[in-house]
Amino acid sequence: MSDNILEVKNLKKHFKSKNGTLHAVDDVSFSIKRGQTLGLVGESGCGKSTIGRLILGLHQATSGEILFNGQDICKMNKKQIHDLRKDLQIIFQDPFASLNPRMSIGEIIGEPLLIYKKVKRAELDSEVRRLMDVVGLSKRFINSYPHELDGGRRQRVGIARALSLNPQFIVCDEPVSSLDVSIQAQVLNLLKDLQAEYGLTYLFITHDLSVVKYFSDKIAVMYLGQLVEIAESDELFKKTVHPYTQALLSAIPAPNIRQKMQRVKLIGELTSPIDPEPGCRFAKRCLYSQAQCIGQDLELKEFGNSHFCSCCRADELLNTTISK
Amino acid sequence: MNRSKLLEINDLTVEYRTDDEIVYAVNSLNLSLHSGESLGLVGETGAGKSTTALSILQLVADPPGRITSGEILFEGEDLLKAKKDFLRHIRGNKISMIFQDPMTSLNPVYSVGDQIAEVIYLHEKCSKTEAQQKAADMLEMVGIPKDRYDEFPHQFSGGMKQRVVIAMSIACSPKLILADEPTTALDVTIQAQVLELMNDLKVKLNTSLLLITHDLGVVAQVCDRVAIMYAGEIVEIGTVEEVFEHPKHPYTVGLFRSIPALDEKVDRLKPIKGQMPDPTDLPSGCKFHPRCPYMNEVCTKMKPAMTNVAGTHIVNCLIHEGKLDSTEFMEEVNYVR
């Protein structure tokens, strides 16, 4: 088996809408090594959640391949997708909307075990209790309903449910965005511990760059459906190449008064992903854009240390203005 | 600093009563704000930040909410005793509010320009045309071209909508702006633009700002002073230098440790253990004691008092009162940052 548990190749997802075709994901390729975490970052509407859903087979890709352990998810039928879910799970963003309000915590965590006949009914209760223990949920909640729990605990239920089938890969779609900072840190630590213990691989989707740096081995930055930069996490923060990544990093307000924002300015606002012009979608907001940025297809180029960037002026920019 | 106090909140207590329980949202809160100053009010969900802001404008829904004691002095006048007419004159005029979600705080069936003009027309004795003219100027001030005056909220992006709300809030040159999580619903790059705009306007108009947020980063960029709230109380207050460089309350220290830093490599976060307390059944003594790593028996019985530790830096913790000896904590605190 290859080193990469997941390989995404030239993935595209277009949605038809009244006003034209919405290019949610356009020609995105990346891979994730077993046991590692890839952070997928970008602003709302850039297609990060769509990628997560495509990987789970919740959307049909328009074109491209998603190889999970060498098998193409896009070509699977319903039965195969059903089997795949044993190895491939998701933790959703909103722990309020992703738990069935009419099921007790015990039933929610136990449901996948029953569907996949992983345990006998007699053993179900003890397995559910074990899972609750793993995620740090007190067992007295087993007969509680989701509305009785706060956000942090609910998210733990979601994690226990995702873990119940002992998956190899978990898509974490903004798992801590709706939580308070002190609770957020608890959940992040839990996810890290679980990864170490079970050798899990994560695709960690988020808009919060400080969280992603703490959590990921590798980070991929998206802008309007395109992958603009991908690199090892430390490398990306040390040597930021793409103008969008720079703007994104500089926009984070640091909780440090000695470090006032030195913002890399962007022009205007997010453009529409409906029927975009070919070429770099960031060009219209980019300070460095030139005629060459529009029209030609994007290509990820390497800048050493498996650091890839799609900016066609990256070489020049690295040598002149941006080098830190 | 010899500036007059614009807003002074003394001993404010707000409760929400339901049939079978009482939620203690704000408990004997004291806070003051000078003119031209910006204060960040930081805390987690349910800490009572928004209730505090709503109390200032008397917008707490009653029932179930009820302000049971305290006074809120605005320019020397107690708003809690004020007549309805006076409050109507204050709201949107001398004190205005920016809400968290720009999608729901604008009326979808009026054009954005007319929504801004309405505030001006109501508070300033002017004709409708003058109000419209001024509303158009306000749009320009927040960076939206005048020709979008007649457009409707759905034609704007989230960041633009929040700019419209900001334009509305500054339209009558208020003395005080209450901003309740103004950038939480926005993307980081847009958030940065809005924060920059607010910083500019603050300087230009010399208004005071009460900024409610859970994001310490936003406070560091915008505010002069910061107050940390926990379970309806202020646990620490001081200038941003004092609180960010020398946090003294175990809760504040825990908050800083929960944020993954961008500039250093951390292997593991050190979060605060446990959950927020149930506001219907708050702990005795210090409200933070069940989650505090340094708690002692005395913390369960005795309520801490506000203690001045340095300059304007005030902390609500028994350790700093000298009621509890914790060399371990003092060493930690002096080590932090």
Side-chain angles (χ1 to χ4, degrees):
Chain A
M1 224 181 277
S2 85
D3 214 16
N4 292 332
I5 185 164
L6 187 87
E7 276 178 58
V8 172
K9 288 179 185 163
N10 306 94
L11 187 65
K12 274 186 193 173
K13 176 69 193 174
H14 295 173
F15 293 101
K16 289 249 156 49
S17 81
K18 234 181 5 196
N19 306 321
T21 312
L22 191 149
H23 294 231
V25 177
D26 235 353
D27 214 3
V28 168
S29 308
F30 60 84
S31 61
I32 308 179
K33 285 205 177 80
R34 198 172 293 278
Q36 288 209 333
T37 302
L38 175 77
L40 194 57
V41 200
E43 295 183 273
S44 39
C46 72
K48 30 184 215 309
S49 291
T50 307
I51 289 190
R53 294 177 149 260
L54 283 166
I55 291 173
L56 279 156
L58 295 172
H59 284 316
Q60 257 311 318
T62 307
S63 69
E65 292 182 333
I66 303 169
L67 301 176
F68 180 71
N69 285 331
Q71 283 176 299
D72 191 352
I73 294 174
C74 302
K75 294 206 181 79
M76 286 185 180
N77 59 29
K78 263 197 169 157
K79 169 84 179 48
Q80 286 168 311
I81 294 259
H82 179 83
D83 288 341
L84 178 80
R85 297 257 158 81
K86 270 187 280 191
D87 294 322
L88 198 56
Q89 280 290 326
I90 182 164
I91 300 168
F92 291 99
Q93 167 169 11
D94 187 353
F96 295 82
S98 59
L99 302 179
N100 187 335
R102 287 169 170 252
M103 286 166 82
S104 73
I105 301 308
E107 286 168 341
I108 292 173
I109 300 174
E111 195 186 22
L113 295 169
L114 288 178
I115 292 174
Y116 286 90
K117 300 189 180 64
K118 219 184 137 222
V119 294
K120 296 202 180 75
R121 258 185 198 273
E123 295 158 14
L124 181 67
D125 201 52
S126 65
E127 177 64 10
V128 168
R129 280 169 198 273
R130 186 189 70 80
L131 285 163
M132 289 176 78
D133 198 43
V134 167
V135 297
L137 260 181
S138 161
K139 293 182 188 76
R140 70 191 156 94
F141 292 118
I142 194 162
N143 292 319
S144 304
Y145 284 83
H147 74 270
E148 297 172 66
L149 272 57
D150 58 66
R153 291 211 178 94
R154 270 184 243 205
Q155 202 54 296
R156 284 175 198 265
V157 175
I159 296 172
R161 177 176 59 183
L163 283 176
S164 61
L165 296 173
N166 214 353
Q168 303 172 23
F169 189 97
I170 299 181
V171 174
C172 308
D173 191 356
E174 307 251 17
V176 295
S177 308
S178 61
L179 306 177
D180 276 317
V181 265
S182 71
I183 309 298
Q184 172 177 316
Q186 291 174 359
V187 173
L188 287 175
N189 277 346
L190 171 68
L191 287 171
K192 265 205 159 176
D193 292 344
L194 293 172
Q195 179 167 44
E197 204 174 324
Y198 299 103
L200 294 169
T201 310
Y202 291 135
L203 175 70
F204 196 86
I205 300 171
T206 183
H207 65 275
D208 187 332
L209 284 146
S210 44
V211 167
V212 89
K213 171 163 190 249
Y214 165 70
F215 206 79
S216 317
D217 301 292
K218 224 171 167 187
I219 298 176
V221 183
M222 283 186 75
Y223 185 80
L224 277 184
Q226 295 174 326
L227 195 66
V228 296
E229 190 161 4
I230 181 166
E232 301 282 320
S233 154
D234 290 339
E235 164 87 8
L236 185 79
F237 279 79
K238 248 184 271 156
K239 192 175 101 185
T240 316
V241 181
H242 201 282
Y244 176 66
T245 316
Q246 288 176 359
L248 200 61
L249 293 186
S250 72
I252 313 169
N256 185 343
I257 47 164
R258 304 232 176 272
Q259 211 178 311
K260 289 284 171 196
M261 259 194 271
Q262 297 278 318
R263 204 155 68 80
V264 178
K265 293 239 162 107
L266 293 183
I267 307 159
E269 308 231 354
L270 225 61
T271 43
S272 166
I274 295 173
D275 293 327
E277 290 170 41
C280 177
R281 288 195 191 147
F282 181 61
K284 280 194 183 128
R285 298 180 72 192
C286 182
L287 287 177
Y288 310 101
S289 65
Q290 285 180 342
Q292 69 193 69
C293 298
I294 298 165
Q296 60 179 2
D297 278 335
L298 286 191
E299 219 179 302
L300 283 173
K301 275 178 286 184
E302 188 167 357
F303 292 86
N305 293 340
S306 62
H307 186 154
F308 293 89
C309 173
S310 72
C311 180
C312 57
R313 294 191 65 203
D315 283 314
E316 294 167 62
L317 294 177
L318 254 185
N319 294 333
T320 55
T321 40
I322 315 173
S323 51
K324 280 184 191 165
Chain B
M1 250 180 280
N2 196 14
R3 285 186 293 186
S4 61
K5 274 185 191 167
L6 180 73
L7 179 79
E8 199 177 343
I9 301 177
N10 294 321
D11 194 37
L12 179 73
T13 305
V14 187
E15 298 170 358
Y16 292 97
R17 291 174 188 226
T18 61
D19 284 346
D20 36 32
E21 53 191 12
I22 303 175
V23 173
Y24 299 97
V26 178
N27 305 305
S28 305
L29 179 116
N30 294 300
L31 194 69
S32 65
L33 190 64
H34 296 277
S35 51
E37 185 181 56
S38 52
L39 174 76
L41 197 56
V42 182
E44 298 180 88
T45 318
K49 318 177 291 279
S50 295
T51 303
T52 307
L54 291 174
S55 305
I56 297 173
L57 282 178
Q58 306 274 294
L59 292 174
V60 179
D62 179 14
R66 210 160 184 200
I67 300 173
T68 52
S69 76
E71 50 178 14
I72 297 173
L73 302 176
F74 177 71
E75 294 184 318
E77 196 115 18
D78 189 353
L79 295 180
L80 295 184
K81 294 202 184 81
K83 294 232 165 65
K84 273 194 175 151
D85 277 353
F86 182 72
L87 284 171
R88 198 174 294 147
H89 168 69
I90 294 268
R91 288 182 193 139
N93 188 18
K94 287 191 168 162
I95 306 178
S96 61
M97 186 142 184
I98 302 171
F99 293 95
Q100 172 169 359
D101 188 358
M103 329 294 159
T104 52
S105 52
L106 291 173
N107 190 331
V109 298
Y110 288 100
S111 74
V112 294
D114 282 346
Q115 292 189 52
I116 301 172
E118 187 189 9
V119 191
I120 302 167
Y121 179 70
L122 284 177
H123 288 296
E124 289 176 11
K125 292 189 181 74
C126 63
S127 71
K128 284 210 163 140
T129 10
E130 278 169 342
Q132 283 170 350
Q133 180 57 42
K134 197 171 172 204
D137 294 342
M138 284 297 148
L139 278 178
E140 291 267 315
M141 194 177 220
V142 296
I144 299 174
K146 266 185 197 160
D147 16 310
R148 300 196 66 176
Y149 183 99
D150 288 321
E151 286 185 21
F152 289 87
H154 73 269
Q155 290 167 294
F156 288 79
S157 66
M160 294 282 250
K161 271 187 240 182
Q162 198 60 301
R163 279 161 196 265
V164 172
V165 176
I166 292 174
M168 204 182 291
S169 74
I170 58 168
C172 293
S173 320
K175 297 265 172 54
L176 173 65
I177 297 177
L178 310 173
D180 190 356
E181 308 256 12
T183 57
T184 309
L186 308 175
D187 277 318
V188 269
T189 55
I190 308 299
Q191 163 171 292
Q193 286 176 5
V194 171
L195 290 180
E196 224 158 69
L197 171 71
M198 287 177 63
N199 261 336
D200 287 349
L201 291 173
K202 202 175 74 189
V203 178
K204 220 185 271 174
L205 307 170
N206 191 35
T207 46
S208 304
L209 177 69
L210 183 70
L211 178 75
I212 295 173
T213 179
H214 63 272
D215 188 336
L216 286 160
V218 170
V219 173
Q221 302 303 322
V222 178
C223 297
D224 310 316
R225 279 169 71 223
V226 57
I228 313 281
M229 263 188 106
Y230 185 80
E233 288 175 352
I234 286 178
V235 294
E236 182 160 4
I237 183 166
T239 62
V240 283
E241 286 83 9
E242 286 164 343
V243 177
F244 278 69
E245 310 254 293
H246 311 284
K248 295 281 191 213
H249 195 283
Y251 176 63
T252 317
V253 174
L255 270 189
F256 278 109
R257 291 215 179 129
S258 301
I259 313 169
L262 277 173
D263 44 5
E264 51 198 297
K265 182 109 183 128
V266 201
D267 282 335
R268 208 181 154 75
L269 297 170
K270 297 191 189 103
I272 306 168
K273 61 174 185 183
Q275 331 275 330
M276 285 290 282
D278 177 0
T280 61
D281 182 23
L282 290 172
S284 60
C286 170
K287 298 198 169 54
F288 185 60
H289 84 254
R291 301 177 74 186
C292 183
Y294 311 100
M295 87 92 157
N296 201 307
E297 218 198 314
V298 62
C299 304
T300 62
K301 292 176 192 143
M302 196 168 178
K303 260 195 177 160
M306 289 300 216
T307 315
N308 195 329
V309 286
T312 58
H313 194 172
I314 296 170
V315 184
N316 195 24
C317 173
L318 289 169
I319 297 175
H320 296 283
E321 245 179 278
K323 294 280 178 355
L324 153 73
D325 185 34
S326 180
T327 36
E328 182 201 356
F329 176 66
M330 285 315 221
E331 272 168 24
E332 282 268 310
V333 162
N334 293 331
Y335 173 73
V336 169
R337 291 179 169 254

